[in-house]
Amino acid sequence: MTDARSPDHPAPETFPANTAPGSASVSAPVSDPGSAPASTPEPAPVSEDEQRLRELGYTQELARSMSGFSNFAVSFSIVSILSGCLTLYGTGMKTGGPALIIWGWPVVGLLTLCVGLAMAEICSSYPTAGGLYYWSAKLTRSRGPAWSWFTGWFNFLGQVAVTASVDYGAAFFTNAFLTLRFGVEASPAHTMEIFAVILLAHGLLNTFGVRLVAVLNSVSVWWHLAGVAIIVGALAVLPDRHASVSFALTEFVNQTGFHSQFYVALIGLLMAQYTLTGYDASAHMTEETRDAARSGPRGIVNAITVSLVAGWILLLGITFAIRDYDGALNSDTQVPPAQIFIDAIGSGGAQFLLLIVIGAQFFCGMASVTANSRMIYAFSRDGALPGSRLWHRIDPRTQTPTNAVWLATGGALLLGLPALWNTTAYTAVTSISVIGLYISYVIPVYLRLRQGEDFPRGPWHLGRWSRPIGVVAVAWTAVITVLFMLPTASPITAESFNYTPVAVAVVVGFAGLWWLVSARHWFTGPHVHGTPPEPDALDTELEVR
């Protein structure tokens, strides 16, 4: 990796003085002979970030107020080891058990790091809020609009699914806390009600509490790290006994109904892979980040690396604390980690640890809505969503896309509704988030591999490691795309059916049909200066109000 100014970074384009990028040059009026020369106002200074954004075809509309740490904090909060690891811990207990929970994590983590490194290199060259779909348009030699269109739609699907899965997980744990504290029944209906309230809170925070959200994203990093330390410390010190080393590191469990241990081990990787998603948020926040060409890539890589280390410590701490395996899986709280906490340190201590987890999940969902809304803003800025005019509007008070916030939360609510009648619906939502996001991650990586040495490197790049890391990233994404569409429970019934392929097919089918019927005639990829907007009749004219 190289983190320095690259000689092959594209040179900035120049524009006539006082002329916006893409606008026609206007000749100055000829003054009368002998008249006093007209004073020319000094042009406002343009930062390096803003100049680079102009070169990429956009003007600065969002407030560029985030530091590199804040950019990292958003991605780290969305990865959220306290959310992903614990929410799907029960799934891991059934699909492989302790052996796969402990050893699947570093394997998936290292492969995920390859994906993140490949993305970070591209982010350094093209630091825009559009992120992945903008990269796809720029990296292909032909059919750029089509690559961009489908990358954006996969990313949109994955972003909405991440928001749904995170906030539904928070609702699960909140319901478990209410059961322990007040005896509230842990039913799907109650979980859905809590889910809706959490989404509403995140929508309101991202609409009216923008500055507070920025502060909370930074707090979230320390909350997660301190939370892991407290949970692992409590589970290591307070119990009078722990699981054996052989149990925690080698015990394989299969409670799926399938007979193939190899198959069960493969689908058991979902817990780790689902947790290690969402780090593309650093790319989507680059138009609000200072020194974006370096801070964005660092945010992506650091979010994965810190999560990989801290997450493994967390999983070791919880797994060694297991006392009653079947009791945890069949707990009245319906949240296995909650029962593990109770068995290890008692009800009072378990409630305290649950509050730490719920707080982390709340931070995660809040950051997810933030990143999702920026992706929606950028995608609709280029006319690629139905009603783009509405979703692209910027609140003049906060300089944030508030309408996009509510599309993100509303879409997440709809995606989570099947959990009312489908027992495996939550697992399906997590699979959808993995598939949608990782396909959108790897399309620009694949296109960058095709460019070879023609790729215009930014100030942060991988040097000679670019190609091998990119190949691993593409291959791993192909594996998990197939893997997480497979059934997760046997026998396959209406209640246990994995509806991931259905949801993915609906969204991809809609995007594909719209492309064939209409969009291919007017969608030209990300709009840069000098690119005409779509026809008004399509209701996709770009504007900021």
Side-chain angles (χ1 to χ4, degrees), residues 293-498:
R294 297 171 183 82
S295 297
R298 290 172 186 160
I300 292 172
V301 175
N302 290 339
I304 298 171
T305 305
V306 176
S307 297
L308 177 57
V309 175
W312 205 16
I313 295 171
L314 176 65
L315 292 174
L316 284 166
I318 295 174
T319 305
F320 272 102
I322 296 175
R323 293 192 175 191
D324 182 357
Y325 204 92
D326 291 333
L329 283 173
N330 300 303
S331 169
D332 291 338
T333 65
Q334 299 184 9
V335 176
Q339 191 61 48
I340 294 172
F341 296 162
I342 294 171
D343 294 342
I345 63 174
S347 179
Q351 292 175 42
F352 175 68
L353 298 187
L354 279 176
L355 286 177
I356 293 175
V357 176
I358 292 168
Q361 292 170 328
F362 188 85
F363 286 141
C364 176
M366 178 186 67
S368 179
V369 170
T370 303
N372 194 355
S373 65
R374 271 42 173 196
M375 185 273 160
I376 292 171
Y377 156 79
F379 207 31
S380 59
R381 174 172 61 184
D382 298 323
L385 289 176
S388 286
R389 179 189 302 225
L390 177 64
W391 313 125
H392 178 252
R393 290 176 185 169
I394 297 291
D395 186 318
R397 180 181 63 87
T398 62
Q399 286 186 275
T400 55
T402 52
N403 289 346
V405 167
W406 294 105
L407 176 59
T409 54
L413 180 63
L414 290 175
L415 200 56
L417 283 177
L420 281 172
W421 61 84
N422 187 316
T423 56
T424 60
Y426 181 73
T427 303
V429 173
T430 59
S431 295
I432 292 168
S433 67
V434 170
I435 291 170
L437 286 179
Y438 272 83
I439 290 178
S440 69
Y441 291 176
V442 86
I443 289 175
V445 173
Y446 166 72
L447 295 174
R448 183 263 176 272
L449 287 174
R450 290 175 55 184
Q451 278 205 344
E453 293 303 316
D454 293 336
F455 173 69
R457 287 174 172 166
W460 192 105
H461 60 83
L462 299 174
R464 62 190 177 88
W465 291 100
S466 180
R467 182 169 184 80
I469 288 175
V471 170
V472 172
V474 173
W476 177 240
T477 302
V479 170
I480 61 176
T481 298
V482 175
L483 202 57
F484 298 146
M485 287 193 185
L486 300 176
T488 57
S490 178
I492 302 171
T493 65
E495 290 187 355
S496 65
F497 177 71
N498 181 2

Side-chain angles (χ1 to χ4, degrees), residues 141-205:
R141 295 185 175 92
S142 62
R143 301 193 183 124
W147 284 107
S148 176
W149 176 268
F150 286 100
T151 300
W153 274 97
F154 273 114
N155 192 236
F156 174 70
L157 171 64
Q159 291 266 5
V160 173
V162 163
T163 301
S165 58
V166 168
D167 279 1
Y168 199 83
F172 260 131
F173 275 74
T174 303
N175 209 354
F177 175 81
L178 295 176
T179 299
L180 293 176
R181 190 69 181 172
F182 304 107
V184 176
E185 181 187 3
S187 66
H190 287 160
T191 302
M192 186 59 64
E193 291 168 0
I194 297 170
F195 174 52
V197 170
I198 292 173
L199 280 172
L200 177 63
H202 286 154
L204 292 173
L205 273 171

Side-chain angles (χ1 to χ4, degrees), residues 54-235:
R54 287 186 180 184
E55 295 164 20
L56 297 176
Y58 298 113
T59 56
Q60 188 71 48
E61 294 179 318
L62 302 173
R64 195 177 288 274
S65 58
M66 297 181 68
S67 64
F69 180 82
S70 297
N71 182 283
F72 153 75
V74 174
S75 282
F76 183 73
S77 296
I78 296 176
V79 172
S80 184
I81 51 179
L82 286 174
S83 177
C85 288
L86 295 185
T87 304
L88 285 186
Y89 193 85
T91 301
M93 292 176 71
K94 295 178 181 179
T95 55
L100 201 70
I101 289 172
I102 297 303
W103 299 115
W105 179 265
V107 171
V108 171
L110 292 174
L111 291 167
T112 298
L113 185 58
C114 290
V115 180
L117 286 168
M119 288 171 56
E121 181 178 54
I122 303 172
C123 178
S124 183
S125 290
Y126 305 111
T128 71
L132 307 156
Y133 85 93
Y134 181 96
W135 304 347
S136 291
K138 290 296 182 181
L139 291 170
T140 182
R141 295 185 175 92
S142 62
R143 301 193 183 124
W147 284 107
S148 176
W149 176 268
F150 286 100
T151 300
W153 274 97
F154 273 114
N155 192 236
F156 174 70
L157 171 64
Q159 291 266 5
V160 173
V162 163
T163 301
S165 58
V166 168
D167 279 1
Y168 199 83
F172 260 131
F173 275 74
T174 303
N175 209 354
F177 175 81
L178 295 176
T179 299
L180 293 176
R181 190 69 181 172
F182 304 107
V184 176
E185 181 187 3
S187 66
H190 287 160
T191 302
M192 186 59 64
E193 291 168 0
I194 297 170
F195 174 52
V197 170
I198 292 173
L199 280 172
L200 177 63
H202 286 154
L204 292 173
L205 273 171
N206 277 277
T207 300
F208 301 108
V210 177
R211 292 184 179 178
L212 178 60
V213 167
V215 172
L216 291 178
N217 279 329
S218 296
V219 171
S220 174
V221 175
W222 306 113
W223 183 284
H224 277 81
L225 295 177
V228 169
I230 292 170
I231 292 172
V232 173
L235 296 179

